[in-house]
Amino acid sequence: MKKFRKVLDGLTTSSPGGTIGSPSCGSAAGTPTAAPTPREIDVQETLVSENFQLCKTVRHGFPYQPTALAFDPVQKILAIGSRSGGVRILGRPGVDCYCQHESGAAVLQLQFLINEGALVTACADDTLHLWNLRQRRPAVLHSLKFNRERITFCHLPFQSKWLYVGTERGNTHIVNIESFILSGYVIMWNKAIELSTKTHPGPVVHLSDSPKDEGKLLIGFESGTIVQWDLRAKKADFRIYYDEAIHSVSWHHEGKQFMCSHSDGSLTLWNLRNTTRPFQVTFPHGKIQKDGRKESCKPILKVEYKTSRSSEPFVIFSGGLSYDKAGRRPTLTIMHGKAITVLEMDYPIVEFMVLCETPYNNEVQEPYAVVVLLEKDLIVVDLTQSNFPVFENPYPMDIHESPVTCTAYFADCPPDIIPILYSIGAKHKKTGYSQKEWPISGGTWTLGSHTYPEIIITGHADGSIKFWDASAITLQMLYKLKTSKVFEKPKPGEGRAAELVEEDPFAVQMVSWCPQSRIFCVVGISAHIILYRFSKYDANTQIVSLEVRLQCESEDVISPSENENNPCFSEQGSHSPQPHHQHPASPGNRTPEGIKDSIPCLKVKDRVVRVPPGYQSELVIQLLWVDGEPPQQITSLDINSAYGLLAFGNCNGVAVVDYLQKTILLCMSTLDLYGAADPYQRLTRSPRRNRQSTSEFCMRGLSNFYSDSKKRIRTSYQSLTELTDNQQSIDMERSKSPTSVKGPGRKLSLPTDLKTDLESRENSFSRSRSSSVSSIDRDTKEAVTTLQFGESYGRKSDALPTPCLWVGTSLGVVLLIPMSIPTDQEERMEEPVTIGPSGAVLMLKSSVLRFAFLDLVGALIQSPYEVWRDLNAPEDPDRPRRRKLVHFSPSSSQDACGDGHLAVVCSERQAKVFLMPSQSCLFVHNITESSFVLRADVVSVCNSVCLACFCANGHVMTLSLPSLRPLMDVNYLPLTDMRIARTFCFTNGGQALYLSSPTEIQRITYSQEMCDNLQEMLGELFTPIETPEAQNRGFLKGFFGGNAHTFDREELFGEAAAGKASRSLAQHIPGQGGVEGMKVAASGAVGELARARIALDERGQRLGELEERTALMMTSAETFSKHAHELMLKCKDKKWYQF
């Protein structure tokens, strides 16, 4: 704990480790000011660096670019591998774990050690990894790197410790799972095939042990060759040479037949009694043409052949459609007896797996579901019902249903908001799902004690908004809102919106939400803003539309006559605005030359519409085209429910709207806001010659990611939503990078020229913020980058706080605009809000990002808000609905009224703390010199507040308040990109999130307390379960079914019999040691103890049952003996002929 005392004597001071504040810190335009009354500020700072630690918590969404799938039928957990080296392990809702290979190599195949709490991954860098799942955060125990051969297929028999590994050269190696060391036993390709064969059989594409005899290994080669290898005799039992390439093989459970899928769309069934030709050949989707030939079909990439006691066998496969049916969606075909069902999928099928009741391959399989992994979705089909319905997916796999364009994160929300949103959203859920429980039900998860209501909001390219319940590190969809319903559908030939953004005119750019008042505001890419109110009742509503002409620059003012016609610059509209609509124009308004003027990009529905319960649109604000130029992108937004005001800005200026009276209060260029207090004293500009320059798009600090910061809105939008979706563009971007690796499955590197480009933009970016007159004249626009309503002091002479609007610009200037708002409810709806610039100016380096207000003891001052009331609820005469406002005045926590407050201002380069109303700079800290801040928020952590920053160089920092002491600085993301930059956001409780891929949300924490409690919050992947016993095979089956149970792999593959493998063939790499290894060992020991305890309990139970049966047998024996004795006595004296 550290105590800071500052005596304010009118001089600007510097913080420890900071720089001396510039003289303009405490004045409007660099002029000296009168010294305020000396006073002592006593702030108890409780946060220290030990309160902070950065770590990942949980990842939500669908695994991006999935490649592999595996399922543990006993533990009932699912694993999905991805191209970037990630592995997601899923169980029951709440059990969701993400692991990442350090190499980042694509995952080729996954194999569970069934019911052992372990997973084997085979990666594209030809490395095998063994993961321990008996801990909440899995870790790699062993790795084995193949040096001379490339891995193509792996197979691990149930309850075996020997893993078969097939390679590209056609060889099969055997790995001991316990030691992760290669056996000396190798099946070479030239031994597997006949000596007379002249061609190489190709890579190994299949390995499986025979259900009839574990000592027989079936090897499938890509060329169409199949070999059954006798592991004991070390020779081939039979060889099959088929003229079509093989993609997969599946056994019948009796081990007498197997089925293959081929590249020509055929399925072949082979009988072991006669392997010279297939027992059956079928083309499931190939019809016979008029000339008698079969249609050419696509390859069947995988087939599974599963038996059932109560019905015909299931044959399930992917692909195989005929080529002539262009445009057909990917399919999964289920053949059950004579019935053939074709399920069409929305995306290409990556992998599928049939879930069966038994883990034993020599028992009747009894399939009950099919897990289908698509490129962008995961579905599970119920096989127990004839119509094959899908299960309702409990995981949030549809975050990317439309590309995510913005995010917002709210922790510690009002507790009633989540149930209300869920009840409204539940009415619109899809139906027709299977009634059975979700089959992936493994693991355990309990609601931890460190939970509070959290909501994540995602905005999407199609204009939809999704509210997610993010409490207790889970994610569940609450409510979906479609903003496009406010507008008329654009006609294909019209193209007004198409000229701005062709495909997604409704794309969401930013959102603003007040959980207390439930007012929600959306900013769209077509320069539109929609205001929503929440209601539990449906209603008929007329959407009010306001049109704002915010396309003005200083050089546009050429003559007084032109000035009079432009309300943006009218003296009356600037300083004492009147409530009026900004001359609404008809959508077809054009100048005689055909140039678009005074028309919006979209057309709002002008009729009464029926709106369902939930968020209902009340007001739409649209920026207009001016002289044939589209409106500029909106860069900042703030809404305050207590004031009833909404403010927004772009690179031209700022506008303030009274959404209660539906009027425009202020619409001014940034330059006009200064009045006489312009700190740069800009020169008068000549009239603009090239009008095209203003239609070019100007972004703030994020524009530094581009080599050209002035790009069209569509270009900017594409860079966000299509950053990694378009593979061709990725490859082109990758080709610029000298470190990108070529090869199948290895196109995964991020472009390294991003950093170079960023540095070059940094230099030009800093130069553009030079305070010289010539530099300012060269800068085309000064954008409004952030806005904040709050109770503050607009002028130094103010004794009491009043409603103010804080405006931050891209040149590091802070402007204060005081407002006068009627307090009485009736007056508020009738009297105008007076608003006008005060001339108060504060200065920082670079673009302003965030404002926050603290009282004089360092506590955060919340913005005032209106308590939610349902405007559509039935009227109660006894209790009329009135506005109930909650204010947090700066003086509410002080003994004396009007003591002032502290204002925290953060820009892209530095942070400052000002004392209001004197505007004296108390503390200043230069956050970064070599990079710039992307996101900054003042957040609550450990019952205190701090400033959290995320920089473009990947650093996450926290600074104490108000002294701005560095508390944490972690290099978290060395290479960042546009998607992360646009979606990164902090929230209270030491949490943050960002879009780690186009389909996944990554949540992180920077709180030491949450890191400590994380183990408690995560789910357990492994639960001790007794392995189901194998069915009794019977005497005859055991006698004639071979000696499968006497097969000893250790005797064949062990070092004593097979010797050691070549050291140069593969390199063993031990897993993580130290503390992690100890945790793994401890966790494994706990798991073993639990299993041993269960085994003892079951043994005791069986002993008890045996004792009872023994007692019954003794009683029965005694009764029999008694009756026998009585019978003997009765018959003792009788002669033989008397019987």
Side-chain angles (χ1 to χ4, degrees):
M1 187 180 296
K2 192 172 182 180
K3 188 179 292 185
F4 288 90
R5 297 179 181 275
K6 286 279 179 179
V7 178
L8 307 178
D9 56 359
L11 299 175
T12 56
T13 57
S14 62
S15 65
T19 59
I20 302 298
S22 62
S24 61
C25 283
S27 62
T31 56
T33 59
T37 307
R39 186 160 38 82
E40 194 176 70
I41 295 178
D42 188 2
V43 176
Q44 297 273 344
E45 289 198 0
T46 58
L47 290 178
V48 292
S49 58
E50 286 74 20
N51 295 127
F52 296 92
Q53 181 186 348
L54 192 71
C55 70
K56 295 179 180 179
T57 54
V58 68
R59 182 172 290 209
H60 303 297
F62 180 76
Y64 185 56
Q65 295 179 331
T67 54
L69 183 69
F71 182 72
D72 187 325
V74 179
Q75 289 290 321
K76 295 192 182 304
I77 56 176
L78 187 80
I80 301 173
S82 70
R83 194 183 296 178
S84 59
V87 178
R88 281 283 288 283
I89 304 171
L90 303 167
R92 67 177 66 248
V95 178
D96 187 341
C97 178
Y98 174 76
C99 317
Q100 175 67 43
H101 291 92
E102 290 184 4
S103 65
V107 178
L108 298 179
Q109 198 176 349
L110 299 165
Q111 284 275 320
F112 275 107
L113 277 66
I114 296 174
N115 205 29
E116 294 292 331
L119 176 71
V120 174
T121 59
C123 295
D125 61 349
D126 308 310
T127 306
L128 297 172
H129 304 274
L130 178 65
W131 292 83
N132 181 11
L133 307 184
R134 298 193 180 199
Q135 56 193 66
R136 293 177 192 259
R137 289 203 174 251
V140 174
L141 293 177
H142 300 283
S143 297
L144 189 66
K145 169 75 173 172
F146 280 75
N147 296 323
R148 294 185 300 188
E149 297 196 54
R150 306 207 61 182
I151 299 170
T152 55
F153 196 87
C154 298
H155 170 63
L156 180 66
F158 178 45
Q159 293 182 323
S160 167
K161 67 176 184 178
W162 297 95
L163 174 73
Y164 301 113
V165 181
T167 68
E168 196 174 43
R169 291 185 181 179
N171 302 324
T172 302
H173 300 276
I174 300 169
V175 178
N176 186 309
I177 289 297
E178 293 177 350
S179 62
F180 239 57
I181 295 175
L182 270 179
S183 165
Y185 192 113
V186 183
I187 305 172
M188 303 299 289
W189 69 269
N190 54 354
K191 298 287 180 67
I193 64 173
E194 288 180 330
L195 295 175
S196 60
T197 307
K198 296 180 180 180
T199 57
H200 190 278
V204 175
V205 295
H206 177 81
L207 292 167
S208 61
D209 52 332
S210 168
K212 191 176 178 182
D213 185 355
E214 293 177 348
K216 304 293 178 67
L217 183 69
L218 195 70
I219 307 172
F221 297 94
E222 189 180 60
S223 64
T225 302
I226 300 174
V227 177
Q228 180 166 290
W229 184 263
D230 188 331
L231 293 167
R232 302 181 193 85
K234 299 183 181 180
K235 66 175 185 177
D237 283 346
F238 62 81
R239 298 178 178 91
I240 295 173
Y241 299 98
Y242 197 65
D243 53 1
E244 289 293 339
I246 292 175
H247 286 283
S248 70
V249 181
S250 182
W251 279 99
H252 187 280
H253 80 275
E254 292 179 348
K256 298 175 182 178
Q257 293 178 337
F258 61 85
M259 185 176 288
C260 301
S261 69
H262 300 278
S263 57
D264 63 346
S266 66
L267 296 173
T268 56
L269 186 63
W270 299 83
N271 196 312
L272 297 193
R273 290 180 180 177
N274 181 12
T275 56
T276 56
R277 60 186 178 86
F279 174 73
Q280 183 181 350
V281 179
T282 56
F283 287 81
H285 295 299
K287 296 178 182 177
I288 299 176
Q289 296 174 336
K290 292 180 180 179
D291 56 1
R293 292 186 302 174
K294 288 275 187 181
E295 285 182 317
S296 59
C297 296
K298 298 176 183 177
I300 295 179
L301 300 177
K302 183 177 182 181
V303 65
E304 293 218 28
Y305 186 22
K306 301 297 181 184
T307 51
S308 174
R309 286 190 184 88
S310 58
S311 64
E312 296 286 328
F314 284 86
V315 176
I316 303 170
F317 61 88
S318 60
L321 290 180
S322 59
Y323 277 106
D324 63 344
K325 294 175 182 175
R328 287 278 307 261
R329 294 194 291 180
T331 59
L332 182 80
T333 305
I334 302 173
M335 298 172 63
H336 188 211
K338 293 183 180 179
I340 298 179
T341 305
V342 179
L343 304 178
E344 288 193 336
M345 304 295 167
D346 293 330
Y347 307 102
I349 297 173
V350 175
E351 172 76 285
F352 76 88
M353 184 166 287
V354 179
L355 308 188
C356 300
E357 297 286 354
T358 176
Y360 296 94
N361 65 346
N362 59 357
E363 296 179 359
V364 179
Q365 298 297 287
E366 295 293 348
Y368 60 89
V370 184
V371 179
V372 188
L373 178 64
L374 308 177
E375 276 191 2
K376 294 186 178 181
D377 201 1
L378 176 75
I379 64 171
V380 181
V381 181
D382 186 355
L383 291 179
T384 61
Q385 299 182 44
S386 58
N387 60 339
F388 303 127
V390 298
F391 290 89
E392 185 176 6
N393 197 326
Y395 316 125
M397 293 291 184
D398 58 346
I399 292 174
H400 62 285
E401 186 178 19
S402 174
V404 178
T405 52
C406 74
T407 58
Y409 193 5
F410 299 87
D412 212 4
C413 300
D416 60 336
I417 192 72
I418 290 178
I420 288 176
L421 286 173
Y422 182 78
S423 64
I424 297 292
K427 297 175 183 177
H428 305 286
K429 280 196 171 183
K430 296 178 182 177
T431 55
Y433 293 111
S434 172
Q435 299 301 311
K436 297 197 172 183
E437 289 187 6
W438 180 251
I440 304 165
S441 56
T444 55
W445 180 75
T446 54
L447 197 65
S449 56
H450 303 274
T451 60
Y452 42 83
E454 298 175 71
I455 286 181
I456 293 172
I457 300 175
T458 55
H460 300 265
D462 64 353
S464 61
I465 304 282
K466 291 182 181 179
F467 289 77
W468 306 84
D469 177 10
S471 308
I473 72 168
T474 61
L475 197 69
Q476 184 180 10
M477 171 91 140
L478 291 174
Y479 175 70
K480 183 177 179 180
L481 175 67
K482 294 182 179 178
T483 63
S484 59
K485 290 186 175 181
V486 173
F487 303 100
E488 301 283 2
K489 291 183 179 178
K491 296 177 182 177
E494 217 170 64
R496 282 190 298 119
E499 292 181 24
L500 191 61
V501 278
E502 298 87 5
E503 296 172 9
D504 302 305
F506 311 114
V508 178
Q509 200 176 351
M510 66 179 77
V511 296
S512 179
W513 186 47
C514 177
Q516 290 80 14
S517 65
R518 302 183 190 173
I519 285 181
F520 185 58
C521 217
V522 179
V523 174
I525 198 76
S526 297
H528 64 271
I529 301 171
I530 311 174
L531 178 78
Y532 290 90
R533 283 185 184 270
F534 187 83
S535 176
K536 293 189 287 185
Y537 304 91
D538 55 2
N540 293 318
T541 182
Q542 173 79 48
I543 303 169
V544 179
S545 176
L546 288 179
E547 296 173 352
V548 180
R549 190 182 176 93
L550 193 59
Q551 189 83 2
C552 41
E553 290 186 339
S554 56
E555 64 259 38
D556 288 339
V557 187
I558 300 173
S559 64
S561 60
E562 190 172 338
N563 187 22
E564 289 169 10
N565 294 330
N566 191 343
C568 292
F569 292 93
S570 62
E571 201 65 28
Q572 182 183 5
S574 299
H575 299 286
S576 57
Q578 300 299 315
H580 66 284
H581 290 257
Q582 194 73 10
H583 57 262
S586 63
N589 186 15
R590 292 172 181 264
T591 59
E593 295 83 4
I595 298 174
K596 295 180 182 179
D597 187 56
S598 299
I599 58 172
C601 296
L602 302 170
K603 188 179 187 305
V604 180
K605 290 180 180 177
D606 54 3
R607 60 185 183 276
V608 176
V609 291
R610 185 77 173 173
V611 288
Y615 273 103
Q616 301 168 352
S617 55
E618 180 177 296
L619 176 66
V620 177
I621 304 166
Q622 294 191 88
L623 299 186
L624 300 175
W625 286 66
V626 177
D627 296 335
E629 296 172 2
Q632 300 297 298
Q633 187 182 31
I634 294 170
T635 56
S636 55
L637 171 77
D638 193 38
I639 187 167
N640 190 281
S641 56
Y643 301 160
L645 300 179
L646 181 151
F648 63 93
N650 63 6
C651 59
N652 288 323
V654 66
V656 180
V657 173
D658 183 342
Y659 67 79
L660 296 178
Q661 297 185 25
K662 310 295 190 294
T663 56
I664 299 166
L665 301 176
L666 181 74
C667 180
M668 297 182 69
S669 70
T670 319
L671 187 58
D672 283 359
L673 285 174
Y674 291 108
D678 186 358
Y680 295 116
Q681 301 300 314
R682 271 167 269 223
L683 301 176
T684 306
R685 299 186 189 177
S686 59
R688 184 178 57 204
R689 292 182 180 179
N690 184 8
R691 288 189 175 274
Q692 187 63 27
S693 63
T694 59
S695 66
E696 291 176 343
F697 173 60
C698 177
M699 290 182 68
R700 52 192 179 93
L702 295 180
S703 63
N704 298 344
F705 282 101
Y706 295 96
S707 57
D708 181 8
S709 65
K710 300 174 185 176
K711 295 197 174 185
R712 292 277 186 179
I713 293 177
R714 181 62 191 160
T715 310
S716 166
Y717 169 66
Q718 278 181 324
S719 67
L720 176 61
T721 61
E722 301 173 10
L723 181 67
T724 46
D725 285 338
N726 189 337
Q727 191 61 39
Q728 186 177 2
S729 64
I730 300 177
D731 295 342
M732 289 175 63
E733 190 69 33
R734 235 184 242 114
S735 65
K736 302 176 188 175
S737 170
T739 60
S740 62
V741 183
K742 296 183 180 179
R746 287 169 166 76
K747 296 180 180 178
L748 302 166
S749 59
L750 288 170
T752 54
D753 60 339
L754 181 64
K755 190 172 182 182
T756 311
D757 179 51
L758 188 141
E759 289 170 354
S760 64
R761 291 301 305 149
E762 287 284 346
N763 297 331
S764 62
F765 192 65
S766 59
R767 285 197 299 271
S768 70
R769 280 152 174 73
S770 168
S771 58
S772 67
V773 174
S774 59
S775 170
I776 292 301
D777 284 337
R778 284 196 301 269
D779 199 301
T780 56
K781 297 191 176 72
E782 181 179 5
V784 175
T785 53
T786 185
L787 296 162
Q788 178 77 49
F789 286 106
E791 298 282 315
S792 187
Y793 302 84
R795 303 171 184 84
K796 292 184 179 182
S797 57
D798 288 352
L800 295 174
T802 57
C804 288
L805 174 63
W806 287 63
V807 182
T809 76
S810 56
L811 295 183
V813 178
V814 178
L815 298 154
L816 274 73
I817 303 177
M819 300 172 292
S820 177
I821 303 174
T823 54
D824 183 75
Q825 180 169 345
E826 285 75 15
E827 291 182 0
R828 177 65 187 85
M829 299 305 295
E830 297 173 2
E831 296 293 324
V833 175
T834 55
I835 179 172
S838 67
V841 176
L842 308 172
M843 295 293 299
L844 283 88
K845 289 182 183 177
S846 196
S847 179
V848 181
L849 295 179
R850 185 69 58 200
F851 298 120
F853 309 118
L854 310 177
D855 60 23
L856 296 185
V857 295
L860 186 65
I861 302 172
Q862 302 289 343
S863 296
Y865 63 86
E866 175 190 359
V867 178
W868 174 72
R869 57 198 174 103
D870 198 333
L871 298 180
N872 295 336
E875 286 283 354
D876 186 355
D878 300 328
R879 299 179 62 187
R881 288 197 302 267
R882 297 184 62 84
R883 296 184 74 215
K884 183 180 177 183
L885 307 182
V886 178
H887 285 270
F888 300 92
S889 174
S891 57
S892 59
S893 61
Q894 308 297 319
D895 297 332
C897 183
D899 274 354
H901 71 89
L902 302 176
V904 181
V905 186
C906 183
S907 75
E908 290 180 347
R909 299 296 176 105
Q910 67 176 188
K912 288 186 178 183
V913 176
F914 296 93
L915 176 69
M916 305 301 290
S918 67
Q919 301 174 16
S920 303
C921 180
L922 300 183
F923 300 96
V924 58
H925 177 75
N926 290 328
I927 299 171
T928 176
E929 293 293 342
S930 60
S931 183
F932 60 94
V933 178
L934 288 168
R935 179 79 187 208
D937 286 292
V938 174
V939 292
S940 299
V941 182
C942 301
N943 300 317
S944 188
V945 290
C946 70
L947 175 64
C949 302
F950 173 59
C951 293
N953 58 9
H955 283 250
V956 177
M957 310 177 187
T958 56
L959 304 172
S960 69
L961 290 176
S963 65
L964 299 176
R965 284 181 301 115
L967 296 172
M968 181 188 75
D969 186 353
V970 178
N971 187 8
Y972 176 63
L973 288 170
L975 279 177
T976 186
D977 57 34
M978 188 66 178
R979 182 185 59 253
I980 296 174
R982 287 295 301 267
T983 57
F984 197 103
C985 51
F986 295 98
T987 190
N988 295 329
Q991 297 196 74
L993 67 79
Y994 60 92
L995 214 65
S996 57
S997 75
T999 62
E1000 295 168 287
I1001 290 175
Q1002 177 69 58
R1003 290 164 69 179
I1004 63 174
T1005 181
Y1006 47 95
S1007 163
Q1008 179 67 56
E1009 181 183 6
M1010 188 164 184
C1011 287
D1012 295 340
N1013 298 323
L1014 190 58
Q1015 290 293 324
E1016 177 193 335
M1017 300 168 73
L1018 295 173
E1020 288 273 6
L1021 293 172
F1022 178 80
T1023 51
I1025 300 173
E1026 186 70 19
T1027 302
E1029 293 184 1
Q1031 293 178 359
N1032 190 356
R1033 305 183 70 205
F1035 173 75
L1036 293 176
K1037 281 190 176 181
F1039 187 78
F1040 294 108
N1043 52 350
H1045 291 281
T1046 61
F1047 177 60
D1048 186 2
R1049 293 185 178 89
E1050 182 69 36
E1051 188 179 329
L1052 280 175
F1053 306 145
E1055 188 176 326
K1060 292 184 178 180
S1062 170
R1063 290 186 179 181
S1064 61
L1065 184 60
Q1067 177 189 358
H1068 175 260
I1069 305 168
Q1072 298 172 352
V1075 177
E1076 192 65 41
M1078 291 170 62
K1079 287 181 182 177
V1080 169
S1083 177
V1086 170
E1088 289 295 338
L1089 285 172
R1091 295 179 68 184
R1093 191 180 298 113
I1094 289 176
L1096 283 172
D1097 291 343
E1098 291 179 350
R1099 185 183 176 196
Q1101 185 178 351
R1102 289 172 185 166
L1103 285 173
E1105 292 172 357
L1106 179 64
E1107 189 177 347
E1108 289 176 3
R1109 284 199 296 269
T1110 306
L1112 287 172
M1113 290 174 64
M1114 287 178 65
T1115 305
S1116 177
E1118 288 176 1
T1119 305
F1120 178 77
S1121 174
K1122 183 180 177 182
H1123 286 302
H1125 185 68
E1126 290 175 353
L1127 184 64
M1128 184 269 294
L1129 291 175
K1130 186 177 179 181
C1131 301
K1132 182 178 180 183
D1133 299 327
K1134 288 187 178 183
K1135 303 297 181 182
W1136 64 271
Y1137 52 82
Q1138 291 177 325
F1139 286 98

